[in-house]
Amino acid sequence: MLEQREPAQTGDWAMIHEGTLLKRVVERNPRLIEAALQLHRDRVIPPNSWVYDLDGIAANAEALATEADAQGLKTYVMTKQYSRNPFVTQVAIKRGLRKAVAVDIHGARTMNRFEIPVGHVGHLNQVPAKEAKAALMMRPEVVTVFSVENARLISEVATALGIEQDLLIRPIGAEDVYFEGQEGGFPEEEVGAAVTEIMKLPNVRIVGVTSFPCVRYNFGEEGRSDPVANPNLETIGRVAELLRSRFGLEITQINAPGNTAVETMRLLAEGGATHVEPGHGLLGTTPNHIIDGTQPELPTYVYVTEVSHHYNGRAYAFGGGLWSLLGGFLNLPDGRPAPVQALVGSNLESLRSTALEYEPQDQIIDYHVALLDGSRVRVGDTVVMAFYTQTQMTRSYTVPVSGIAAGEPEAHGIFDLGTNMLDDDYVPVPPARVIESIHSVLERY
């Protein structure tokens, strides 16, 4: 299932910029584009939707699980990138990726709502006091704490519930790399004192360490880069050994998330990791997947919208999904916006032959997607785009679709930004009905 897929119809695609996700989708998963077009033209899905290829997810999950097993690693699925869609998560788990990780309590509650096992919670966001009982009742394998105070909170709640809760701590080395606004944890020189205090607390025990991001890509002039371990990976290995030798703790987890994919598993395992958390690796959209078309995972999502109107030479499509573009994540090294294109048309022939340029707009809210040359397309035409995103940051819909590999796409519900499946009147569907639908679809995988 990992082979390059051929389009259902022959013919040349429009000129697509090299080194872009759209180029990769055209090359490796063109049926995904065709499925998105069909579902929009048939009025199955609305504009401002992310379409997810469950067949591709299944293949990618199997490839990741196989490599993780070969390297002696255990996996938690990172769900935020695809707005925690339960169909995507459950297909990935069925194909070998064990349990989910929740970077915040909202994600944990979403997983629990759909009976998805939560393996790790508290990283990148700590568990708030009001939510601690709910989080622990989900029985996660581990909870990450950044402070003695948060460990004390987890201890108090675990004691009240009569359970034992395993903890991870996040040590901070002097050279470690963090994204701004995501800092937190124990300075390495303070780990000993903090662990001494945490070990006095009832009903909790430290079983491991974590950090993020543990892997980075360094891109040269040719674009392609071998993955490189950040200092974080060495730090957590060093602190894990301290916990064993000085405190006699049984360390069962060295959790090393960040750019986890088939190509990075060996690097992580050799660096001492025991657990990894594939997210964009599952989706086939890490930076190296975009640059390098030889990666084993297929790209599995596209953004679908619709031309709303024309003005001043531009075609304006309905927006809502441009978070990563507005946030400057797709800038070139010199600061210029990276080129982004859209395939636009009312049928496959016109879509394949019409690539418009996305024109960045000075806007806070992406009400519209501005495209040039707008005279080439009509109001109501389908717009298909592909660019790196984290869908939970958008106000888009997510649509899981099976049957794409066979050219027989079937959408399994439209989910809003709160991960609620919607009925035909856009009223949330009860979770029990969603779970029934998920189990039916899982029989195909």
Side-chain angles (χ1 to χ4, degrees):
M1 295 181 67
L2 284 171
E3 73 279 1
Q4 178 171 315
R5 301 180 186 177
E6 296 298 328
Q9 299 185 25
T10 60
D12 293 333
W13 289 85
M15 293 297 294
I16 305 298
H17 296 309
E18 293 291 342
T20 64
L21 183 55
L22 183 60
K23 181 71 170 180
R24 293 293 161 254
V25 178
V26 166
E27 289 176 342
R28 303 202 60 211
N29 198 358
R31 285 190 183 272
L32 171 56
I33 297 175
E34 296 168 17
L37 171 69
Q38 178 182 331
L39 292 170
H40 178 255
R41 300 314 299 177
D42 291 346
R43 300 297 184 258
V44 174
I45 64 173
N48 187 34
S49 291
W50 294 92
V51 173
Y52 288 91
D53 174 6
L54 293 179
D55 300 347
I57 293 292
N60 291 352
E62 183 173 320
L64 288 161
T66 299
E67 182 64 17
D69 287 345
Q71 300 299 332
L73 298 169
K74 295 183 179 180
T75 54
Y76 297 134
V77 183
M78 177 59 70
T79 66
K80 64 185 175 70
Q81 285 90 340
Y82 51 88
S83 201
R84 310 174 178 100
N85 189 284
F87 281 85
V88 175
T89 305
Q90 289 285 42
V91 167
I93 288 175
K94 182 170 183 182
R95 296 302 282 265
L97 295 187
R98 294 185 69 248
K99 297 184 178 184
V101 53
V103 298
D104 54 27
I105 191 63
H106 174 73
R109 282 192 175 277
T110 301
M111 294 302 104
N112 192 57
R113 185 198 316 164
F114 297 113
E115 299 182 353
I116 295 169
V118 177
H120 180 197
V121 67
H123 185 222
L124 296 166
N125 283 69
Q126 294 286 270
V127 176
K130 183 181 184 301
E131 305 283 7
K133 180 179 179 181
L136 267 58
M137 288 181 68
M138 297 175 198
R139 303 305 290 127
E141 290 182 353
V142 290
V143 174
T144 290
V145 294
F146 288 1
S147 66
V148 173
E149 291 84 357
N150 199 250
R152 186 172 294 114
L153 167 67
I154 301 303
S155 169
E156 291 171 355
V157 175
T159 300
L161 292 173
I163 62 175
E164 297 283 334
Q165 179 60 58
D166 289 346
L167 303 179
L168 303 182
I169 64 169
R170 182 158 88 159
I172 304 171
E175 303 299 322
D176 286 359
V177 176
Y178 293 98
F179 294 119
E180 187 175 359
Q182 297 180 11
E183 304 92 345
F186 301 92
E188 189 171 359
E189 63 274 15
E190 299 177 12
V191 165
V195 169
T196 298
E197 292 303 311
I198 294 173
M199 290 180 65
K200 297 175 183 177
L201 301 173
N203 295 72
V204 292
R205 55 178 175 258
I206 298 171
V207 300
V209 291
T210 189
S211 188
F212 173 82
C214 290
V215 173
R216 71 179 185 275
Y217 293 107
N218 289 332
F219 294 103
E221 293 182 0
E222 296 181 358
R224 177 69 170 84
S225 170
D226 290 328
V228 178
N230 278 327
N232 309 43
L233 185 58
E234 186 175 342
T235 296
I236 57 177
R238 189 168 57 245
V239 171
E241 181 55 34
L242 171 73
L243 298 179
R244 292 188 184 103
S245 61
R246 179 175 168 183
F247 295 95
L249 295 174
E250 181 181 359
I251 300 303
T252 60
Q253 186 162 157
I254 300 176
N255 185 292
N259 289 311
T260 306
V262 169
E263 72 166 341
T264 64
M265 295 282 192
R266 179 182 294 275
L267 172 67
L268 290 163
E270 291 176 348
T274 63
H275 290 65
V276 293
E277 299 181 350
H280 272 288
L282 172 64
L283 303 178
T285 52
T286 74
N288 248 11
H289 287 87
I290 297 172
I291 296 296
D292 178 8
T294 67
Q295 296 299 307
E297 299 94 338
L298 292 169
T300 56
Y301 63 75
V302 292
Y303 180 61
V304 184
T305 187
E306 175 183 315
V307 175
S308 165
H309 62 280
H310 294 85
Y311 179 76
N312 198 26
R314 304 182 185 94
Y316 284 83
F318 296 102
L322 305 187
W323 166 80
S324 57
L325 300 179
L326 297 180
F329 285 90
L330 299 183
N331 285 348
L332 298 171
D334 62 6
R336 291 181 295 113
V340 175
Q341 292 171 292
L343 295 169
V344 187
S346 58
N347 53 51
L348 185 56
E349 181 180 359
S350 61
L351 186 88
R352 290 168 64 95
S353 61
T354 308
L356 302 190
E357 300 294 323
Y358 164 72
E359 183 182 46
Q361 301 288 296
D362 186 13
Q363 55 183 344
I364 297 174
I365 303 174
D366 57 327
Y367 289 112
H368 297 106
V369 182
L371 302 171
L372 290 171
D373 170 17
S375 65
R376 299 173 58 195
V377 298
R378 299 178 180 179
V379 170
D381 277 356
T382 300
V383 177
V384 179
M385 304 174 72
F387 49 87
Y388 179 93
T389 190
Q390 298 207 10
T391 313
Q392 90 282 5
M393 298 301 297
T394 75
R395 60 185 192 281
S396 305
Y397 301 105
T398 60
V399 184
V401 179
S402 67
I404 289 177
E408 300 176 354
E410 179 182 354
H412 300 287
I414 298 167
F415 287 77
D416 66 13
L417 76 170
T419 323
N420 301 294
M421 182 190 277
L422 307 175
D423 65 16
D424 291 342
D425 294 318
Y426 285 57
V427 175
V429 174
R433 284 175 49 195
V434 180
I435 293 169
E436 289 179 5
S437 180
I438 292 171
H439 286 306
S440 176
V441 171
L442 285 179
E443 294 178 1
R444 309 177 189 186
Y445 298 101

mmCIF file with all atom_site columns, all heavy atoms in Angstrom, residues 56-78:
data_model
loop_
_atom_site.group_PDB
_atom_site.id
_atom_site.type_symbol
_atom_site.label_atom_id
_atom_site.label_alt_id
_atom_site.label_comp_id
_atom_site.label_asym_id
_atom_site.label_entity_id
_atom_site.label_seq_id
_atom_site.pdbx_PDB_ins_code
_atom_site.Cartn_x
_atom_site.Cartn_y
_atom_site.Cartn_z
_atom_site.occupancy
_atom_site.B_iso_or_equiv
_atom_site.pdbx_formal_charge
_atom_site.auth_seq_id
_atom_site.auth_comp_id
_atom_site.auth_asym_id
_atom_site.auth_atom_id
_atom_site.pdbx_PDB_model_num
ATOM 1   N N   . GLY A 1 56 ? -4.223 5.698  3.025  1.00 0.00 ? 56 GLY A N   1
ATOM 2   C CA  . GLY A 1 56 ? -2.846 6.131  3.195  1.00 0.00 ? 56 GLY A CA  1
ATOM 3   C C   . GLY A 1 56 ? -2.423 6.132  4.656  1.00 0.00 ? 56 GLY A C   1
ATOM 4   O O   . GLY A 1 56 ? -1.289 5.761  4.990  1.00 0.00 ? 56 GLY A O   1
ATOM 5   N N   . ILE A 1 57 ? -3.324 6.548  5.543  1.00 0.00 ? 57 ILE A N   1
ATOM 6   C CA  . ILE A 1 57 ? -3.036 6.524  6.979  1.00 0.00 ? 57 ILE A CA  1
ATOM 7   C C   . ILE A 1 57 ? -2.731 5.101  7.419  1.00 0.00 ? 57 ILE A C   1
ATOM 8   O O   . ILE A 1 57 ? -1.775 4.855  8.187  1.00 0.00 ? 57 ILE A O   1
ATOM 9   C CB  . ILE A 1 57 ? -4.229 7.087  7.776  1.00 0.00 ? 57 ILE A CB  1
ATOM 10  C CG1 . ILE A 1 57 ? -4.415 8.589  7.500  1.00 0.00 ? 57 ILE A CG1 1
ATOM 11  C CG2 . ILE A 1 57 ? -4.068 6.812  9.267  1.00 0.00 ? 57 ILE A CG2 1
ATOM 12  C CD1 . ILE A 1 57 ? -3.313 9.466  8.031  1.00 0.00 ? 57 ILE A CD1 1
ATOM 13  N N   . ALA A 1 58 ? -3.529 4.133  6.971  1.00 0.00 ? 58 ALA A N   1
ATOM 14  C CA  . ALA A 1 58 ? -3.311 2.741  7.344  1.00 0.00 ? 58 ALA A CA  1
ATOM 15  C C   . ALA A 1 58 ? -1.942 2.255  6.880  1.00 0.00 ? 58 ALA A C   1
ATOM 16  O O   . ALA A 1 58 ? -1.208 1.592  7.637  1.00 0.00 ? 58 ALA A O   1
ATOM 17  C CB  . ALA A 1 58 ? -4.412 1.861  6.754  1.00 0.00 ? 58 ALA A CB  1
ATOM 18  N N   . ALA A 1 59 ? -1.577 2.586  5.654  1.00 0.00 ? 59 ALA A N   1
ATOM 19  C CA  . ALA A 1 59 ? -0.280 2.165  5.119  1.00 0.00 ? 59 ALA A CA  1
ATOM 20  C C   . ALA A 1 59 ? 0.865  2.823  5.883  1.00 0.00 ? 59 ALA A C   1
ATOM 21  O O   . ALA A 1 59 ? 1.859  2.171  6.233  1.00 0.00 ? 59 ALA A O   1
ATOM 22  C CB  . ALA A 1 59 ? -0.198 2.502  3.635  1.00 0.00 ? 59 ALA A CB  1
ATOM 23  N N   . ASN A 1 60 ? 0.728  4.120  6.142  1.00 0.00 ? 60 ASN A N   1
ATOM 24  C CA  . ASN A 1 60 ? 1.785  4.827  6.884  1.00 0.00 ? 60 ASN A CA  1
ATOM 25  C C   . ASN A 1 60 ? 1.928  4.289  8.304  1.00 0.00 ? 60 ASN A C   1
ATOM 26  O O   . ASN A 1 60 ? 3.045  4.130  8.812  1.00 0.00 ? 60 ASN A O   1
ATOM 27  C CB  . ASN A 1 60 ? 1.478  6.321  6.926  1.00 0.00 ? 60 ASN A CB  1
ATOM 28  C CG  . ASN A 1 60 ? 1.597  6.990  5.575  1.00 0.00 ? 60 ASN A CG  1
ATOM 29  O OD1 . ASN A 1 60 ? 2.054  6.391  4.608  1.00 0.00 ? 60 ASN A OD1 1
ATOM 30  N ND2 . ASN A 1 60 ? 1.175  8.244  5.501  1.00 0.00 ? 60 ASN A ND2 1
ATOM 31  N N   . ALA A 1 61 ? 0.798  4.040  8.963  1.00 0.00 ? 61 ALA A N   1
ATOM 32  C CA  . ALA A 1 61 ? 0.839  3.527  10.335 1.00 0.00 ? 61 ALA A CA  1
ATOM 33  C C   . ALA A 1 61 ? 1.531  2.168  10.376 1.00 0.00 ? 61 ALA A C   1
ATOM 34  O O   . ALA A 1 61 ? 2.339  1.891  11.286 1.00 0.00 ? 61 ALA A O   1
ATOM 35  C CB  . ALA A 1 61 ? -0.574 3.418  10.897 1.00 0.00 ? 61 ALA A CB  1
ATOM 36  N N   . GLU A 1 62 ? 1.241  1.330  9.414  1.00 0.00 ? 62 GLU A N   1
ATOM 37  C CA  . GLU A 1 62 ? 1.877  0.015  9.376  1.00 0.00 ? 62 GLU A CA  1
ATOM 38  C C   . GLU A 1 62 ? 3.387  0.149  9.164  1.00 0.00 ? 62 GLU A C   1
ATOM 39  O O   . GLU A 1 62 ? 4.181  -0.560 9.807  1.00 0.00 ? 62 GLU A O   1
ATOM 40  C CB  . GLU A 1 62 ? 1.260  -0.829 8.268  1.00 0.00 ? 62 GLU A CB  1
ATOM 41  C CG  . GLU A 1 62 ? 1.809  -2.237 8.214  1.00 0.00 ? 62 GLU A CG  1
ATOM 42  C CD  . GLU A 1 62 ? 1.066  -3.110 7.230  1.00 0.00 ? 62 GLU A CD  1
ATOM 43  O OE1 . GLU A 1 62 ? -0.177 -3.006 7.154  1.00 0.00 ? 62 GLU A OE1 1
ATOM 44  O OE2 . GLU A 1 62 ? 1.728  -3.903 6.534  1.00 0.00 ? 62 GLU A OE2 1
ATOM 45  N N   . ALA A 1 63 ? 3.793  1.048  8.285  1.00 0.00 ? 63 ALA A N   1
ATOM 46  C CA  . ALA A 1 63 ? 5.220  1.259  8.051  1.00 0.00 ? 63 ALA A CA  1
ATOM 47  C C   . ALA A 1 63 ? 5.909  1.777  9.313  1.00 0.00 ? 63 ALA A C   1
ATOM 48  O O   . ALA A 1 63 ? 7.006  1.324  9.679  1.00 0.00 ? 63 ALA A O   1
ATOM 49  C CB  . ALA A 1 63 ? 5.426  2.241  6.896  1.00 0.00 ? 63 ALA A CB  1
ATOM 50  N N   . LEU A 1 64 ? 5.275  2.724  9.994  1.00 0.00 ? 64 LEU A N   1
ATOM 51  C CA  . LEU A 1 64 ? 5.846  3.268  11.231 1.00 0.00 ? 64 LEU A CA  1
ATOM 52  C C   . LEU A 1 64 ? 5.916  2.207  12.322 1.00 0.00 ? 64 LEU A C   1
ATOM 53  O O   . LEU A 1 64 ? 6.933  2.090  13.027 1.00 0.00 ? 64 LEU A O   1
ATOM 54  C CB  . LEU A 1 64 ? 4.992  4.450  11.705 1.00 0.00 ? 64 LEU A CB  1
ATOM 55  C CG  . LEU A 1 64 ? 5.106  5.735  10.888 1.00 0.00 ? 64 LEU A CG  1
ATOM 56  C CD1 . LEU A 1 64 ? 3.904  6.637  11.149 1.00 0.00 ? 64 LEU A CD1 1
ATOM 57  C CD2 . LEU A 1 64 ? 6.401  6.473  11.208 1.00 0.00 ? 64 LEU A CD2 1
ATOM 58  N N   . ALA A 1 65 ? 4.851  1.449  12.482 1.00 0.00 ? 65 ALA A N   1
ATOM 59  C CA  . ALA A 1 65 ? 4.818  0.423  13.522 1.00 0.00 ? 65 ALA A CA  1
ATOM 60  C C   . ALA A 1 65 ? 5.861  -0.658 13.258 1.00 0.00 ? 65 ALA A C   1
ATOM 61  O O   . ALA A 1 65 ? 6.519  -1.142 14.186 1.00 0.00 ? 65 ALA A O   1
ATOM 62  C CB  . ALA A 1 65 ? 3.424  -0.196 13.608 1.00 0.00 ? 65 ALA A CB  1
ATOM 63  N N   . THR A 1 66 ? 6.019  -1.029 12.006 1.00 0.00 ? 66 THR A N   1
ATOM 64  C CA  . THR A 1 66 ? 7.002  -2.052 11.651 1.00 0.00 ? 66 THR A CA  1
ATOM 65  C C   . THR A 1 66 ? 8.414  -1.588 11.989 1.00 0.00 ? 66 THR A C   1
ATOM 66  O O   . THR A 1 66 ? 9.212  -2.329 12.575 1.00 0.00 ? 66 THR A O   1
ATOM 67  C CB  . THR A 1 66 ? 6.903  -2.403 10.160 1.00 0.00 ? 66 THR A CB  1
ATOM 68  O OG1 . THR A 1 66 ? 5.602  -2.927 9.888  1.00 0.00 ? 66 THR A OG1 1
ATOM 69  C CG2 . THR A 1 66 ? 7.951  -3.421 9.759  1.00 0.00 ? 66 THR A CG2 1
ATOM 70  N N   . GLU A 1 67 ? 8.731  -0.329 11.633 1.00 0.00 ? 67 GLU A N   1
ATOM 71  C CA  . GLU A 1 67 ? 10.060 0.191  11.919 1.00 0.00 ? 67 GLU A CA  1
ATOM 72  C C   . GLU A 1 67 ? 10.253 0.391  13.423 1.00 0.00 ? 67 GLU A C   1
ATOM 73  O O   . GLU A 1 67 ? 11.348 0.135  13.950 1.00 0.00 ? 67 GLU A O   1
ATOM 74  C CB  . GLU A 1 67 ? 10.283 1.502  11.170 1.00 0.00 ? 67 GLU A CB  1
ATOM 75  C CG  . GLU A 1 67 ? 11.662 2.112  11.347 1.00 0.00 ? 67 GLU A CG  1
ATOM 76  C CD  . GLU A 1 67 ? 12.791 1.261  10.801 1.00 0.00 ? 67 GLU A CD  1
ATOM 77  O OE1 . GLU A 1 67 ? 12.511 0.339  9.999  1.00 0.00 ? 67 GLU A OE1 1
ATOM 78  O OE2 . GLU A 1 67 ? 13.963 1.511  11.153 1.00 0.00 ? 67 GLU A OE2 1
ATOM 79  N N   . ALA A 1 68 ? 9.224  0.866  14.103 1.00 0.00 ? 68 ALA A N   1
ATOM 80  C CA  . ALA A 1 68 ? 9.331  1.035  15.558 1.00 0.00 ? 68 ALA A CA  1
ATOM 81  C C   . ALA A 1 68 ? 9.626  -0.299 16.235 1.00 0.00 ? 68 ALA A C   1
ATOM 82  O O   . ALA A 1 68 ? 10.485 -0.397 17.110 1.00 0.00 ? 68 ALA A O   1
ATOM 83  C CB  . ALA A 1 68 ? 8.048  1.651  16.111 1.00 0.00 ? 68 ALA A CB  1
ATOM 84  N N   . ASP A 1 69 ? 8.913  -1.333 15.823 1.00 0.00 ? 69 ASP A N   1
ATOM 85  C CA  . ASP A 1 69 ? 9.161  -2.661 16.395 1.00 0.00 ? 69 ASP A CA  1
ATOM 86  C C   . ASP A 1 69 ? 10.590 -3.116 16.113 1.00 0.00 ? 69 ASP A C   1
ATOM 87  O O   . ASP A 1 69 ? 11.256 -3.683 16.997 1.00 0.00 ? 69 ASP A O   1
ATOM 88  C CB  . ASP A 1 69 ? 8.173  -3.674 15.814 1.00 0.00 ? 69 ASP A CB  1
ATOM 89  C CG  . ASP A 1 69 ? 6.759  -3.497 16.345 1.00 0.00 ? 69 ASP A CG  1
ATOM 90  O OD1 . ASP A 1 69 ? 6.589  -2.790 17.368 1.00 0.00 ? 69 ASP A OD1 1
ATOM 91  O OD2 . ASP A 1 69 ? 5.822  -4.041 15.746 1.00 0.00 ? 69 ASP A OD2 1
ATOM 92  N N   . ALA A 1 70 ? 11.061 -2.864 14.902 1.00 0.00 ? 70 ALA A N   1
ATOM 93  C CA  . ALA A 1 70 ? 12.418 -3.276 14.539 1.00 0.00 ? 70 ALA A CA  1
ATOM 94  C C   . ALA A 1 70 ? 13.464 -2.561 15.390 1.00 0.00 ? 70 ALA A C   1
ATOM 95  O O   . ALA A 1 70 ? 14.535 -3.116 15.669 1.00 0.00 ? 70 ALA A O   1
ATOM 96  C CB  . ALA A 1 70 ? 12.666 -3.011 13.056 1.00 0.00 ? 70 ALA A CB  1
ATOM 97  N N   . GLN A 1 71 ? 13.153 -1.330 15.807 1.00 0.00 ? 71 GLN A N   1
ATOM 98  C CA  . GLN A 1 71 ? 14.092 -0.541 16.602 1.00 0.00 ? 71 GLN A CA  1
ATOM 99  C C   . GLN A 1 71 ? 13.831 -0.655 18.104 1.00 0.00 ? 71 GLN A C   1
ATOM 100 O O   . GLN A 1 71 ? 14.498 0.012  18.897 1.00 0.00 ? 71 GLN A O   1
ATOM 101 C CB  . GLN A 1 71 ? 14.018 0.932  16.182 1.00 0.00 ? 71 GLN A CB  1
ATOM 102 C CG  . GLN A 1 71 ? 14.366 1.188  14.728 1.00 0.00 ? 71 GLN A CG  1
ATOM 103 C CD  . GLN A 1 71 ? 15.786 0.774  14.378 1.00 0.00 ? 71 GLN A CD  1
ATOM 104 O OE1 . GLN A 1 71 ? 16.676 0.772  15.231 1.00 0.00 ? 71 GLN A OE1 1
ATOM 105 N NE2 . GLN A 1 71 ? 15.998 0.436  13.116 1.00 0.00 ? 71 GLN A NE2 1
ATOM 106 N N   . GLY A 1 72 ? 12.844 -1.463 18.481 1.00 0.00 ? 72 GLY A N   1
ATOM 107 C CA  . GLY A 1 72 ? 12.547 -1.634 19.898 1.00 0.00 ? 72 GLY A CA  1
ATOM 108 C C   . GLY A 1 72 ? 11.847 -0.442 20.524 1.00 0.00 ? 72 GLY A C   1
ATOM 109 O O   . GLY A 1 72 ? 11.975 -0.212 21.733 1.00 0.00 ? 72 GLY A O   1
ATOM 110 N N   . LEU A 1 73 ? 11.084 0.308  19.732 1.00 0.00 ? 73 LEU A N   1
ATOM 111 C CA  . LEU A 1 73 ? 10.403 1.509  20.207 1.00 0.00 ? 73 LEU A CA  1
ATOM 112 C C   . LEU A 1 73 ? 8.910  1.269  20.349 1.00 0.00 ? 73 LEU A C   1
ATOM 113 O O   . LEU A 1 73 ? 8.310  0.518  19.576 1.00 0.00 ? 73 LEU A O   1
ATOM 114 C CB  . LEU A 1 73 ? 10.633 2.668  19.232 1.00 0.00 ? 73 LEU A CB  1
ATOM 115 C CG  . LEU A 1 73 ? 12.081 3.123  19.037 1.00 0.00 ? 73 LEU A CG  1
ATOM 116 C CD1 . LEU A 1 73 ? 12.182 4.076  17.854 1.00 0.00 ? 73 LEU A CD1 1
ATOM 117 C CD2 . LEU A 1 73 ? 12.612 3.780  20.304 1.00 0.00 ? 73 LEU A CD2 1
ATOM 118 N N   . LYS A 1 74 ? 8.293  1.950  21.308 1.00 0.00 ? 74 LYS A N   1
ATOM 119 C CA  . LYS A 1 74 ? 6.846  1.961  21.453 1.00 0.00 ? 74 LYS A CA  1
ATOM 120 C C   . LYS A 1 74 ? 6.312  3.312  20.988 1.00 0.00 ? 74 LYS A C   1
ATOM 121 O O   . LYS A 1 74 ? 7.016  4.320  21.046 1.00 0.00 ? 74 LYS A O   1
ATOM 122 C CB  . LYS A 1 74 ? 6.450  1.689  22.905 1.00 0.00 ? 74 LYS A CB  1
ATOM 123 C CG  . LYS A 1 74 ? 6.825  0.291  23.375 1.00 0.00 ? 74 LYS A CG  1
ATOM 124 C CD  . LYS A 1 74 ? 6.345  0.040  24.804 1.00 0.00 ? 74 LYS A CD  1
ATOM 125 C CE  . LYS A 1 74 ? 6.707  -1.379 25.239 1.00 0.00 ? 74 LYS A CE  1
ATOM 126 N NZ  . LYS A 1 74 ? 6.249  -1.652 26.635 1.00 0.00 ? 74 LYS A NZ  1
ATOM 127 N N   . THR A 1 75 ? 5.054  3.313  20.547 1.00 0.00 ? 75 THR A N   1
ATOM 128 C CA  . THR A 1 75 ? 4.510  4.504  19.894 1.00 0.00 ? 75 THR A CA  1
ATOM 129 C C   . THR A 1 75 ? 3.249  5.017  20.573 1.00 0.00 ? 75 THR A C   1
ATOM 130 O O   . THR A 1 75 ? 2.427  4.249  21.064 1.00 0.00 ? 75 THR A O   1
ATOM 131 C CB  . THR A 1 75 ? 4.174  4.205  18.421 1.00 0.00 ? 75 THR A CB  1
ATOM 132 O OG1 . THR A 1 75 ? 3.298  3.060  18.369 1.00 0.00 ? 75 THR A OG1 1
ATOM 133 C CG2 . THR A 1 75 ? 5.423  3.927  17.607 1.00 0.00 ? 75 THR A CG2 1
ATOM 134 N N   . TYR A 1 76 ? 3.131  6.343  20.585 1.00 0.00 ? 76 TYR A N   1
ATOM 135 C CA  . TYR A 1 76 ? 1.887  7.043  20.888 1.00 0.00 ? 76 TYR A CA  1
ATOM 136 C C   . TYR A 1 76 ? 1.568  7.906  19.667 1.00 0.00 ? 76 TYR A C   1
ATOM 137 O O   . TYR A 1 76 ? 2.445  8.610  19.160 1.00 0.00 ? 76 TYR A O   1
ATOM 138 C CB  . TYR A 1 76 ? 2.037  7.959  22.099 1.00 0.00 ? 76 TYR A CB  1
ATOM 139 C CG  . TYR A 1 76 ? 2.365  7.294  23.407 1.00 0.00 ? 76 TYR A CG  1
ATOM 140 C CD1 . TYR A 1 76 ? 3.365  7.802  24.229 1.00 0.00 ? 76 TYR A CD1 1
ATOM 141 C CD2 . TYR A 1 76 ? 1.659  6.177  23.850 1.00 0.00 ? 76 TYR A CD2 1
ATOM 142 C CE1 . TYR A 1 76 ? 3.667  7.225  25.457 1.00 0.00 ? 76 TYR A CE1 1
ATOM 143 C CE2 . TYR A 1 76 ? 1.950  5.585  25.070 1.00 0.00 ? 76 TYR A CE2 1
ATOM 144 C CZ  . TYR A 1 76 ? 2.954  6.120  25.868 1.00 0.00 ? 76 TYR A CZ  1
ATOM 145 O OH  . TYR A 1 76 ? 3.251  5.536  27.088 1.00 0.00 ? 76 TYR A OH  1
ATOM 146 N N   . VAL A 1 77 ? 0.313  7.905  19.219 1.00 0.00 ? 77 VAL A N   1
ATOM 147 C CA  . VAL A 1 77 ? -0.070 8.697  18.057 1.00 0.00 ? 77 VAL A CA  1
ATOM 148 C C   . VAL A 1 77 ? -0.309 10.142 18.473 1.00 0.00 ? 77 VAL A C   1
ATOM 149 O O   . VAL A 1 77 ? -1.101 10.419 19.384 1.00 0.00 ? 77 VAL A O   1
ATOM 150 C CB  . VAL A 1 77 ? -1.362 8.148  17.405 1.00 0.00 ? 77 VAL A CB  1
ATOM 151 C CG1 . VAL A 1 77 ? -1.695 8.943  16.145 1.00 0.00 ? 77 VAL A CG1 1
ATOM 152 C CG2 . VAL A 1 77 ? -1.212 6.675  17.076 1.00 0.00 ? 77 VAL A CG2 1
ATOM 153 N N   . MET A 1 78 ? 0.367  11.074 17.806 1.00 0.00 ? 78 MET A N   1
ATOM 154 C CA  . MET A 1 78 ? 0.128  12.497 18.034 1.00 0.00 ? 78 MET A CA  1
ATOM 155 C C   . MET A 1 78 ? -1.044 12.935 17.154 1.00 0.00 ? 78 MET A C   1
ATOM 156 O O   . MET A 1 78 ? -0.960 12.885 15.923 1.00 0.00 ? 78 MET A O   1
ATOM 157 C CB  . MET A 1 78 ? 1.387  13.307 17.693 1.00 0.00 ? 78 MET A CB  1
ATOM 158 C CG  . MET A 1 78 ? 1.221  14.801 17.834 1.00 0.00 ? 78 MET A CG  1
ATOM 159 S SD  . MET A 1 78 ? 0.741  15.316 19.493 1.00 0.00 ? 78 MET A SD  1
ATOM 160 C CE  . MET A 1 78 ? 2.247  14.967 20.409 1.00 0.00 ? 78 MET A CE  1
#
